[in-house]
Amino acid sequence: MTGRHRFPGLTENLSPEHRARIERRKVDLREDMALHEVRSALGTSREALAAKLGGDGSAATRMELPADIPVGSLKSLIEEMGGSLEIRARFPQGDVTITHYP
């Protein structure tokens, strides 16, 4: 098949520097994801997540929208996806992890 390549073969001839740039970009992309992207990347449907949280799909959709969401709700949502929530404040003097929140 002309013009078609197996995915693993696409990077086999890249320089180590190019591979390192790709790896850094992958890390950057993983660090900055919207909630719906996290859920989707984990292979969880809105309906399945809503069922775990005791609601319907529309409740899960509302929580994924970029709006104000209570920290407790966000924490529950993240934990149902298998993660944990960490809140970090960044200051010129250094970062502080907030450990006590509802």
Side-chain angles (χ1 to χ4, degrees):
M1 296 182 147
T2 307
R4 297 180 187 249
H5 302 280
R6 291 175 17 104
F7 188 76
L10 293 175
T11 59
E12 65 187 19
N13 294 324
L14 297 178
S15 70
E17 294 82 14
H18 194 152
R19 287 177 193 246
R21 281 195 308 274
I22 290 171
E23 289 305 313
R24 284 192 303 273
R25 181 68 178 138
K26 284 169 42 179
V27 168
D28 290 344
L29 289 172
R30 283 190 199 114
E31 288 178 353
D32 296 326
M33 296 178 83
L35 281 174
H36 74 277
E37 293 171 324
V38 173
R39 179 194 42 77
S40 179
L42 292 171
T44 302
S45 71
R46 281 189 185 113
E47 292 75 19
L49 185 57
K52 288 181 179 182
L53 294 169
D56 61 11
S58 65
T61 299
R62 281 192 306 277
M63 284 205 270
E64 289 179 346
L65 295 174
D68 289 340
I69 178 172
V71 174
S73 298
L74 179 60
K75 182 177 185 280
S76 296
L77 182 66
I78 298 294
E79 287 174 350
E80 284 300 330
M81 289 190 282
S84 62
L85 180 64
E86 177 181 293
I87 298 178
R88 185 176 314 189
R90 296 182 185 259
F91 297 97
Q93 302 86 348
D95 295 353
V96 175
T97 300
I98 310 299
T99 57
H100 297 289
Y101 48 85

